[in-house]
Amino acid sequence: MNQDQLKASVAQAALQHILPQLNSDTILGIGTGSTANFFIDFLAEHKGAFDGCVASSEASAERLRAHGIPVYDLNESGTLEFYIDGADESNERLELIKGGGAALTREKIVAAASKTFICIADESKLVNVLGEFPLPIEVIPMARSYVARELVAMGADPVYREGVVTDNGNIILDLYNFQIATPRAIETAINQIVGVVTNGLFANRPADILMLATQDGVVTKT
Ligand code: ABF
Protein backbone atom coordinates (compact mmCIF):
# COMPACT_ATOMS: atom_id res chain seq x y z
CA MET A 1 0.00 0.00 0.00
CA ASN A 2 1.18 3.52 -0.68
CA GLN A 3 0.87 6.25 1.97
CA ASP A 4 -2.56 7.40 0.81
CA GLN A 5 -3.87 3.83 0.93
CA LEU A 6 -2.46 3.49 4.45
CA LYS A 7 -4.18 6.71 5.51
CA ALA A 8 -7.47 5.57 3.97
CA SER A 9 -7.22 2.18 5.73
CA VAL A 10 -6.73 3.72 9.17
CA ALA A 11 -9.52 6.25 8.57
CA GLN A 12 -11.85 3.37 7.69
CA ALA A 13 -10.75 1.40 10.77
CA ALA A 14 -11.47 4.40 13.04
CA LEU A 15 -14.91 4.77 11.48
CA GLN A 16 -15.69 1.08 12.07
CA HIS A 17 -14.50 1.51 15.68
CA ILE A 18 -16.92 4.36 16.46
CA LEU A 19 -19.92 3.40 14.27
CA PRO A 20 -21.56 1.07 16.85
CA GLN A 21 -21.31 3.87 19.44
CA LEU A 22 -23.07 6.58 17.42
CA ASN A 23 -26.66 7.69 17.91
CA SER A 24 -28.83 10.54 16.65
CA ASP A 25 -27.54 12.88 19.41
CA THR A 26 -23.82 12.24 18.86
CA ILE A 27 -21.67 15.20 17.87
CA LEU A 28 -18.16 14.30 16.71
CA GLY A 29 -14.98 16.38 16.78
CA ILE A 30 -13.21 16.24 13.43
CA GLY A 31 -9.62 17.20 12.75
CA THR A 32 -7.61 18.51 9.86
CA GLY A 33 -5.24 17.10 7.26
CA SER A 34 -5.18 14.38 4.64
CA THR A 35 -5.91 11.47 7.02
CA ALA A 36 -8.81 13.38 8.58
CA ASN A 37 -10.07 14.12 5.06
CA PHE A 38 -10.30 10.39 4.32
CA PHE A 39 -12.23 10.00 7.56
CA ILE A 40 -14.66 12.80 6.62
CA ASP A 41 -15.31 11.23 3.22
CA PHE A 42 -16.03 7.79 4.75
CA LEU A 43 -18.12 9.34 7.52
CA ALA A 44 -20.37 11.00 4.94
CA GLU A 45 -21.74 7.58 3.98
CA HIS A 46 -23.19 7.31 7.51
CA LYS A 47 -24.50 10.83 7.99
CA GLY A 48 -27.89 9.58 9.24
CA ALA A 49 -26.22 7.75 12.13
CA PHE A 50 -25.20 10.83 14.15
CA ASP A 51 -26.19 14.46 14.66
CA GLY A 52 -23.22 16.44 13.31
CA CYS A 53 -19.64 17.58 13.85
CA VAL A 54 -17.44 20.28 15.30
CA ALA A 55 -14.47 20.95 13.02
CA SER A 56 -10.94 21.95 14.01
CA SER A 57 -10.46 24.13 10.92
CA GLU A 58 -12.36 26.10 8.31
CA ALA A 59 -11.08 23.64 5.68
CA SER A 60 -12.57 20.61 7.46
CA ALA A 61 -15.80 22.49 8.16
CA GLU A 62 -16.17 23.20 4.45
CA ARG A 63 -15.49 19.59 3.54
CA LEU A 64 -18.09 18.38 6.05
CA ARG A 65 -20.70 20.85 4.80
CA ALA A 66 -20.02 19.86 1.20
CA HIS A 67 -21.05 16.32 2.22
CA GLY A 68 -24.23 17.70 3.82
CA ILE A 69 -23.01 17.00 7.38
CA PRO A 70 -24.14 19.65 9.91
CA VAL A 71 -21.24 21.61 11.45
CA TYR A 72 -21.73 23.08 14.92
CA ASP A 73 -19.94 25.73 16.89
CA LEU A 74 -18.21 24.16 19.89
CA ASN A 75 -20.01 26.64 22.14
CA GLU A 76 -23.36 25.07 21.26
CA SER A 77 -22.31 21.42 21.15
CA GLY A 78 -21.24 20.64 24.74
CA THR A 79 -18.80 17.79 25.38
CA LEU A 80 -17.96 15.77 22.28
CA GLU A 81 -18.05 11.97 22.32
CA PHE A 82 -15.03 11.43 20.06
CA TYR A 83 -12.35 13.54 18.44
CA ILE A 84 -10.78 11.94 15.37
CA ASP A 85 -7.67 13.54 13.94
CA GLY A 86 -4.23 12.87 12.47
CA ALA A 87 -0.82 13.82 13.84
CA ASP A 88 2.64 14.68 12.62
CA GLU A 89 4.39 12.46 15.19
CA SER A 90 3.45 10.18 18.08
CA ASN A 91 5.54 8.42 20.69
CA GLU A 92 4.61 5.17 22.46
CA ARG A 93 2.90 7.15 25.24
CA LEU A 94 0.54 8.63 22.61
CA GLU A 95 2.02 12.09 23.15
CA LEU A 96 1.84 13.91 19.85
CA ILE A 97 3.21 16.70 17.71
CA LYS A 98 0.42 18.28 15.70
CA GLY A 99 -0.05 21.50 13.79
CA GLY A 100 1.79 20.90 10.54
CA GLY A 101 -1.39 22.19 8.92
CA ALA A 102 -1.42 25.27 11.22
CA ALA A 103 -4.70 24.26 12.92
CA LEU A 104 -3.09 23.33 16.26
CA THR A 105 -4.97 25.72 18.55
CA ARG A 106 -8.42 24.71 17.40
CA GLU A 107 -7.29 21.07 17.37
CA LYS A 108 -6.17 21.38 20.98
CA ILE A 109 -9.47 23.00 21.99
CA VAL A 110 -11.53 20.29 20.31
CA ALA A 111 -9.33 17.58 21.86
CA ALA A 112 -9.80 19.16 25.29
CA ALA A 113 -13.58 19.20 24.84
CA SER A 114 -13.78 15.53 23.77
CA LYS A 115 -14.20 12.41 25.87
CA THR A 116 -12.09 10.18 23.62
CA PHE A 117 -9.37 11.37 21.24
CA ILE A 118 -8.66 8.82 18.53
CA CYS A 119 -5.49 9.66 16.62
CA ILE A 120 -5.23 8.14 13.13
CA ALA A 121 -1.92 7.97 11.30
CA ASP A 122 0.30 5.79 9.16
CA GLU A 123 3.18 3.99 10.84
CA SER A 124 5.77 6.53 9.63
CA LYS A 125 4.46 8.91 12.32
CA LEU A 126 5.53 6.68 15.26
CA VAL A 127 8.87 7.81 16.76
CA ASN A 128 10.93 7.10 19.88
CA VAL A 129 11.55 10.76 20.73
CA LEU A 130 9.34 13.61 19.50
CA GLY A 131 10.99 16.47 17.65
CA GLU A 132 12.23 15.25 14.30
CA PHE A 133 9.14 16.97 12.88
CA PRO A 134 9.47 20.72 13.59
CA LEU A 135 7.22 21.68 16.51
CA PRO A 136 4.67 24.36 15.45
CA ILE A 137 3.94 27.27 17.80
CA GLU A 138 1.02 29.65 17.18
CA VAL A 139 2.02 33.19 18.16
CA ILE A 140 0.26 36.57 18.35
CA PRO A 141 1.81 38.50 15.41
CA MET A 142 3.26 41.42 17.45
CA ALA A 143 5.08 38.97 19.75
CA ARG A 144 6.85 37.07 16.95
CA SER A 145 10.41 38.33 17.53
CA TYR A 146 10.15 38.30 21.31
CA VAL A 147 8.82 34.73 21.37
CA ALA A 148 11.50 33.64 18.89
CA ARG A 149 14.24 35.00 21.18
CA GLU A 150 12.76 33.16 24.18
CA LEU A 151 12.66 29.92 22.16
CA VAL A 152 16.30 30.35 21.12
CA ALA A 153 17.14 30.72 24.81
CA MET A 154 15.46 27.33 25.36
CA GLY A 155 17.87 25.80 22.83
CA ALA A 156 15.50 25.62 19.85
CA ASP A 157 15.79 26.99 16.35
CA PRO A 158 12.53 28.82 15.51
CA VAL A 159 11.67 29.53 11.88
CA TYR A 160 8.85 31.86 10.83
CA ARG A 161 6.41 30.02 8.52
CA GLU A 162 6.22 32.68 5.80
CA GLY A 163 2.88 33.47 4.24
CA VAL A 164 0.81 31.45 6.74
CA VAL A 165 -1.93 33.07 8.81
CA THR A 166 -3.91 30.75 11.10
CA ASP A 167 -7.71 30.58 11.22
CA ASN A 168 -7.31 32.74 14.37
CA GLY A 169 -5.30 35.48 12.58
CA ASN A 170 -1.94 34.51 14.10
CA ILE A 171 1.45 33.38 12.79
CA ILE A 172 3.36 30.10 13.16
CA LEU A 173 6.93 29.56 14.32
CA ASP A 174 8.31 26.05 13.64
CA LEU A 175 10.95 24.76 16.05
CA TYR A 176 13.82 22.90 14.40
CA ASN A 177 16.65 20.96 16.06
CA PHE A 178 14.65 20.44 19.23
CA GLN A 179 14.57 16.92 20.70
CA ILE A 180 11.63 16.65 23.08
CA ALA A 181 12.58 14.18 25.81
CA THR A 182 10.08 15.55 28.37
CA PRO A 183 7.00 16.51 26.33
CA ARG A 184 4.70 17.49 29.19
CA ALA A 185 7.24 19.83 30.79
CA ILE A 186 8.19 21.38 27.45
CA GLU A 187 4.56 21.85 26.42
CA THR A 188 3.92 23.71 29.67
CA ALA A 189 7.13 25.78 29.48
CA ILE A 190 6.48 27.00 25.93
CA ASN A 191 2.91 27.93 26.81
CA GLN A 192 4.27 30.17 29.58
CA ILE A 193 6.00 32.48 27.06
CA VAL A 194 3.89 35.62 26.71
CA GLY A 195 2.55 35.91 23.18
CA VAL A 196 2.33 32.15 22.59
CA VAL A 197 -1.24 31.12 21.89
CA THR A 198 -0.46 27.41 22.05
CA ASN A 199 2.09 24.87 20.87
CA GLY A 200 1.70 21.67 18.90
CA LEU A 201 2.66 19.30 21.71
CA PHE A 202 -0.31 17.20 22.80
CA ALA A 203 1.29 15.67 25.89
CA ASN A 204 -0.71 16.98 28.83
CA ARG A 205 -3.77 15.81 26.92
CA PRO A 206 -2.39 12.99 24.72
CA ALA A 207 -4.44 10.76 22.43
CA ASP A 208 -6.52 8.11 24.18
CA ILE A 209 -6.29 5.69 21.27
CA LEU A 210 -3.68 5.62 18.50
CA MET A 211 -4.63 3.73 15.36
CA LEU A 212 -1.62 3.16 13.12
CA ALA A 213 -1.81 1.90 9.56
CA THR A 214 0.89 -0.65 8.73
CA GLN A 215 1.45 -2.85 5.68
CA ASP A 216 0.10 -5.74 7.80
CA GLY A 217 -3.08 -3.97 8.90
CA VAL A 218 -4.14 -1.38 11.45
CA VAL A 219 -2.51 -1.57 14.89
CA THR A 220 -4.35 -0.02 17.85
CA LYS A 221 -2.46 1.34 20.86
CA THR A 222 -3.96 2.69 24.09
C1 ABF B 1 -3.51 17.56 11.50
O1 ABF B 1 -3.12 16.98 10.33
C2 ABF B 1 -2.35 18.11 12.10
O2 ABF B 1 -2.27 18.35 13.41
C3 ABF B 1 -1.22 17.44 11.51
O3 ABF B 1 -0.41 18.50 11.23
C4 ABF B 1 -1.75 16.86 10.27
C5 ABF B 1 -1.41 15.48 9.89
O4 ABF B 1 -1.56 15.47 8.53
P1 ABF B 1 -1.81 14.28 7.60
O5 ABF B 1 -2.96 13.52 8.13
O6 ABF B 1 -2.08 14.97 6.31
O7 ABF B 1 -0.53 13.49 7.57
O8 ABF B 1 -4.31 16.84 12.23
PDB file of all heavy atoms in Angstrom, residues 7 31-36 85-88 97-102 107 120 122 125 133, ligand 1:
ATOM      1  N   LYS A   7      -3.346   5.713   4.823  1.00  0.00           N
ATOM      2  CA  LYS A   7      -4.179   6.708   5.508  1.00  0.00           C
ATOM      3  C   LYS A   7      -5.662   6.362   5.381  1.00  0.00           C
ATOM      4  O   LYS A   7      -6.430   6.465   6.345  1.00  0.00           O
ATOM      5  CB  LYS A   7      -3.905   8.109   4.936  1.00  0.00           C
ATOM      6  CG  LYS A   7      -2.547   8.657   5.336  1.00  0.00           C
ATOM      7  CD  LYS A   7      -2.269  10.010   4.695  1.00  0.00           C
ATOM      8  CE  LYS A   7      -0.897  10.520   5.144  1.00  0.00           C
ATOM      9  NZ  LYS A   7      -0.607  11.872   4.666  1.00  0.00           N
ATOM     10  N   GLY A  31     -10.876  16.488  12.923  1.00  0.00           N
ATOM     11  CA  GLY A  31      -9.619  17.197  12.751  1.00  0.00           C
ATOM     12  C   GLY A  31      -9.347  17.654  11.339  1.00  0.00           C
ATOM     13  O   GLY A  31     -10.260  17.819  10.518  1.00  0.00           O
ATOM     14  N   THR A  32      -8.069  17.841  11.081  1.00  0.00           N
ATOM     15  CA  THR A  32      -7.612  18.509   9.859  1.00  0.00           C
ATOM     16  C   THR A  32      -6.482  17.685   9.239  1.00  0.00           C
ATOM     17  O   THR A  32      -5.740  17.020   9.957  1.00  0.00           O
ATOM     18  CB  THR A  32      -7.094  19.913  10.236  1.00  0.00           C
ATOM     19  OG1 THR A  32      -8.151  20.611  10.894  1.00  0.00           O
ATOM     20  CG2 THR A  32      -6.656  20.706   9.011  1.00  0.00           C
ATOM     21  N   GLY A  33      -6.365  17.783   7.916  1.00  0.00           N
ATOM     22  CA  GLY A  33      -5.242  17.104   7.258  1.00  0.00           C
ATOM     23  C   GLY A  33      -5.730  16.000   6.339  1.00  0.00           C
ATOM     24  O   GLY A  33      -6.934  15.731   6.239  1.00  0.00           O
ATOM     25  N   SER A  34      -4.788  15.348   5.664  1.00  0.00           N
ATOM     26  CA  SER A  34      -5.184  14.383   4.638  1.00  0.00           C
ATOM     27  C   SER A  34      -5.800  13.113   5.233  1.00  0.00           C
ATOM     28  O   SER A  34      -6.730  12.542   4.652  1.00  0.00           O
ATOM     29  CB  SER A  34      -3.974  14.026   3.764  1.00  0.00           C
ATOM     30  OG  SER A  34      -2.917  13.530   4.548  1.00  0.00           O
ATOM     31  N   THR A  35      -5.327  12.669   6.410  1.00  0.00           N
ATOM     32  CA  THR A  35      -5.909  11.468   7.018  1.00  0.00           C
ATOM     33  C   THR A  35      -7.320  11.783   7.518  1.00  0.00           C
ATOM     34  O   THR A  35      -8.258  10.992   7.326  1.00  0.00           O
ATOM     35  CB  THR A  35      -5.023  10.954   8.173  1.00  0.00           C
ATOM     36  OG1 THR A  35      -3.657  11.029   7.775  1.00  0.00           O
ATOM     37  CG2 THR A  35      -5.349   9.518   8.522  1.00  0.00           C
ATOM     38  N   ALA A  36      -7.480  12.950   8.138  1.00  0.00           N
ATOM     39  CA  ALA A  36      -8.810  13.379   8.584  1.00  0.00           C
ATOM     40  C   ALA A  36      -9.747  13.537   7.385  1.00  0.00           C
ATOM     41  O   ALA A  36     -10.951  13.223   7.479  1.00  0.00           O
ATOM     42  CB  ALA A  36      -8.706  14.684   9.370  1.00  0.00           C
ATOM     43  N   ASP A  85      -8.589  12.652  14.653  1.00  0.00           N
ATOM     44  CA  ASP A  85      -7.668  13.542  13.944  1.00  0.00           C
ATOM     45  C   ASP A  85      -6.329  12.843  13.711  1.00  0.00           C
ATOM     46  O   ASP A  85      -5.991  11.865  14.390  1.00  0.00           O
ATOM     47  CB  ASP A  85      -7.447  14.825  14.768  1.00  0.00           C
ATOM     48  CG  ASP A  85      -6.842  15.952  13.932  1.00  0.00           C
ATOM     49  OD1 ASP A  85      -6.655  15.775  12.709  1.00  0.00           O
ATOM     50  OD2 ASP A  85      -6.559  17.019  14.514  1.00  0.00           O
ATOM     51  N   GLY A  86      -5.571  13.373  12.772  1.00  0.00           N
ATOM     52  CA  GLY A  86      -4.231  12.871  12.473  1.00  0.00           C
ATOM     53  C   GLY A  86      -3.195  13.505  13.394  1.00  0.00           C
ATOM     54  O   GLY A  86      -3.512  14.194  14.359  1.00  0.00           O
ATOM     55  N   ALA A  87      -1.931  13.236  13.073  1.00  0.00           N
ATOM     56  CA  ALA A  87      -0.821  13.822  13.837  1.00  0.00           C
ATOM     57  C   ALA A  87       0.407  13.855  12.938  1.00  0.00           C
ATOM     58  O   ALA A  87       0.458  13.179  11.906  1.00  0.00           O
ATOM     59  CB  ALA A  87      -0.531  13.004  15.082  1.00  0.00           C
ATOM     60  N   ASP A  88       1.369  14.640  13.346  1.00  0.00           N
ATOM     61  CA  ASP A  88       2.639  14.677  12.618  1.00  0.00           C
ATOM     62  C   ASP A  88       3.635  13.691  13.205  1.00  0.00           C
ATOM     63  O   ASP A  88       4.469  13.143  12.485  1.00  0.00           O
ATOM     64  CB  ASP A  88       3.196  16.103  12.633  1.00  0.00           C
ATOM     65  CG  ASP A  88       2.242  17.062  11.948  1.00  0.00           C
ATOM     66  OD1 ASP A  88       1.891  16.803  10.784  1.00  0.00           O
ATOM     67  OD2 ASP A  88       1.797  18.025  12.592  1.00  0.00           O
ATOM     68  N   ILE A  97       3.014  15.376  18.327  1.00  0.00           N
ATOM     69  CA  ILE A  97       3.213  16.696  17.711  1.00  0.00           C
ATOM     70  C   ILE A  97       2.143  16.837  16.645  1.00  0.00           C
ATOM     71  O   ILE A  97       1.955  15.938  15.824  1.00  0.00           O
ATOM     72  CB  ILE A  97       4.607  16.844  17.066  1.00  0.00           C
ATOM     73  CG1 ILE A  97       5.686  16.949  18.134  1.00  0.00           C
ATOM     74  CG2 ILE A  97       4.652  18.089  16.167  1.00  0.00           C
ATOM     75  CD1 ILE A  97       7.098  17.155  17.580  1.00  0.00           C
ATOM     76  N   LYS A  98       1.420  17.966  16.705  1.00  0.00           N
ATOM     77  CA  LYS A  98       0.420  18.284  15.703  1.00  0.00           C
ATOM     78  C   LYS A  98       0.607  19.735  15.265  1.00  0.00           C
ATOM     79  O   LYS A  98       1.358  20.470  15.876  1.00  0.00           O
ATOM     80  CB  LYS A  98      -1.000  18.104  16.279  1.00  0.00           C
ATOM     81  CG  LYS A  98      -1.332  16.639  16.536  1.00  0.00           C
ATOM     82  CD  LYS A  98      -2.663  16.417  17.253  1.00  0.00           C
ATOM     83  CE  LYS A  98      -3.832  17.127  16.653  1.00  0.00           C
ATOM     84  NZ  LYS A  98      -4.055  16.838  15.236  1.00  0.00           N
ATOM     85  N   GLY A  99      -0.085  20.108  14.197  1.00  0.00           N
ATOM     86  CA  GLY A  99      -0.052  21.499  13.785  1.00  0.00           C
ATOM     87  C   GLY A  99       0.715  21.777  12.515  1.00  0.00           C
ATOM     88  O   GLY A  99       0.889  22.935  12.135  1.00  0.00           O
ATOM     89  N   GLY A 100       1.148  20.702  11.833  1.00  0.00           N
ATOM     90  CA  GLY A 100       1.794  20.905  10.536  1.00  0.00           C
ATOM     91  C   GLY A 100       0.881  21.650   9.566  1.00  0.00           C
ATOM     92  O   GLY A 100       1.341  22.349   8.671  1.00  0.00           O
ATOM     93  N   GLY A 101      -0.428  21.492   9.765  1.00  0.00           N
ATOM     94  CA  GLY A 101      -1.394  22.195   8.922  1.00  0.00           C
ATOM     95  C   GLY A 101      -1.840  23.523   9.508  1.00  0.00           C
ATOM     96  O   GLY A 101      -2.780  24.144   9.012  1.00  0.00           O
ATOM     97  N   ALA A 102      -1.176  23.959  10.586  1.00  0.00           N
ATOM     98  CA  ALA A 102      -1.416  25.271  11.220  1.00  0.00           C
ATOM     99  C   ALA A 102      -2.743  25.364  11.981  1.00  0.00           C
ATOM    100  O   ALA A 102      -3.160  26.461  12.343  1.00  0.00           O
ATOM    101  CB  ALA A 102      -1.303  26.413  10.208  1.00  0.00           C
ATOM    102  N   GLU A 107      -7.377  22.520  17.131  1.00  0.00           N
ATOM    103  CA  GLU A 107      -7.286  21.073  17.373  1.00  0.00           C
ATOM    104  C   GLU A 107      -7.164  20.796  18.871  1.00  0.00           C
ATOM    105  O   GLU A 107      -7.779  19.874  19.406  1.00  0.00           O
ATOM    106  CB  GLU A 107      -6.081  20.486  16.625  1.00  0.00           C
ATOM    107  CG  GLU A 107      -6.293  20.459  15.112  1.00  0.00           C
ATOM    108  CD  GLU A 107      -5.064  20.064  14.318  1.00  0.00           C
ATOM    109  OE1 GLU A 107      -3.976  19.907  14.913  1.00  0.00           O
ATOM    110  OE2 GLU A 107      -5.188  19.912  13.090  1.00  0.00           O
ATOM    111  N   ILE A 120      -5.369   9.061  14.274  1.00  0.00           N
ATOM    112  CA  ILE A 120      -5.230   8.142  13.132  1.00  0.00           C
ATOM    113  C   ILE A 120      -4.031   8.578  12.297  1.00  0.00           C
ATOM    114  O   ILE A 120      -3.898   9.747  11.952  1.00  0.00           O
ATOM    115  CB  ILE A 120      -6.525   8.089  12.283  1.00  0.00           C
ATOM    116  CG1 ILE A 120      -7.038   9.494  11.898  1.00  0.00           C
ATOM    117  CG2 ILE A 120      -7.613   7.330  13.026  1.00  0.00           C
ATOM    118  CD1 ILE A 120      -8.279   9.477  10.976  1.00  0.00           C
ATOM    119  N   ASP A 122      -0.426   6.945   9.695  1.00  0.00           N
ATOM    120  CA  ASP A 122       0.300   5.793   9.161  1.00  0.00           C
ATOM    121  C   ASP A 122       1.547   5.578  10.009  1.00  0.00           C
ATOM    122  O   ASP A 122       1.966   6.460  10.763  1.00  0.00           O
ATOM    123  CB  ASP A 122       0.643   6.004   7.680  1.00  0.00           C
ATOM    124  CG  ASP A 122       1.639   7.111   7.499  1.00  0.00           C
ATOM    125  OD1 ASP A 122       2.849   6.832   7.642  1.00  0.00           O
ATOM    126  OD2 ASP A 122       1.225   8.258   7.252  1.00  0.00           O
ATOM    127  N   LYS A 125       4.584   7.828  11.324  1.00  0.00           N
ATOM    128  CA  LYS A 125       4.462   8.906  12.322  1.00  0.00           C
ATOM    129  C   LYS A 125       4.928   8.478  13.714  1.00  0.00           C
ATOM    130  O   LYS A 125       5.055   9.316  14.601  1.00  0.00           O
ATOM    131  CB  LYS A 125       3.000   9.380  12.407  1.00  0.00           C
ATOM    132  CG  LYS A 125       2.371   9.804  11.074  1.00  0.00           C
ATOM    133  CD  LYS A 125       2.857  11.150  10.619  1.00  0.00           C
ATOM    134  CE  LYS A 125       2.243  11.637   9.322  1.00  0.00           C
ATOM    135  NZ  LYS A 125       0.884  12.112   9.410  1.00  0.00           N
ATOM    136  N   PHE A 133      10.051  16.053  13.576  1.00  0.00           N
ATOM    137  CA  PHE A 133       9.138  16.967  12.881  1.00  0.00           C
ATOM    138  C   PHE A 133       9.187  18.306  13.621  1.00  0.00           C
ATOM    139  O   PHE A 133       9.091  18.349  14.847  1.00  0.00           O
ATOM    140  CB  PHE A 133       7.706  16.411  12.907  1.00  0.00           C
ATOM    141  CG  PHE A 133       6.750  17.196  12.053  1.00  0.00           C
ATOM    142  CD1 PHE A 133       6.504  16.826  10.742  1.00  0.00           C
ATOM    143  CD2 PHE A 133       6.115  18.324  12.559  1.00  0.00           C
ATOM    144  CE1 PHE A 133       5.637  17.565   9.941  1.00  0.00           C
ATOM    145  CE2 PHE A 133       5.245  19.071  11.762  1.00  0.00           C
ATOM    146  CZ  PHE A 133       5.011  18.678  10.451  1.00  0.00           C
TER     147      PHE A 133
HETATM  148  C1  ABF B   1      -3.507  17.558  11.496  1.00  0.00           C
HETATM  149  O1  ABF B   1      -3.116  16.984  10.327  1.00  0.00           O
HETATM  150  C2  ABF B   1      -2.351  18.107  12.100  1.00  0.00           C
HETATM  151  O2  ABF B   1      -2.273  18.349  13.415  1.00  0.00           O
HETATM  152  C3  ABF B   1      -1.221  17.440  11.509  1.00  0.00           C
HETATM  153  O3  ABF B   1      -0.406  18.502  11.234  1.00  0.00           O
HETATM  154  C4  ABF B   1      -1.748  16.858  10.272  1.00  0.00           C
HETATM  155  C5  ABF B   1      -1.406  15.476   9.889  1.00  0.00           C
HETATM  156  O4  ABF B   1      -1.564  15.473   8.529  1.00  0.00           O
HETATM  157  P1  ABF B   1      -1.807  14.275   7.598  1.00  0.00           P
HETATM  158  O5  ABF B   1      -2.959  13.515   8.130  1.00  0.00           O
HETATM  159  O6  ABF B   1      -2.078  14.966   6.307  1.00  0.00           O
HETATM  160  O7  ABF B   1      -0.528  13.493   7.574  1.00  0.00           O
HETATM  161  O8  ABF B   1      -4.309  16.836  12.234  1.00  0.00           O
END
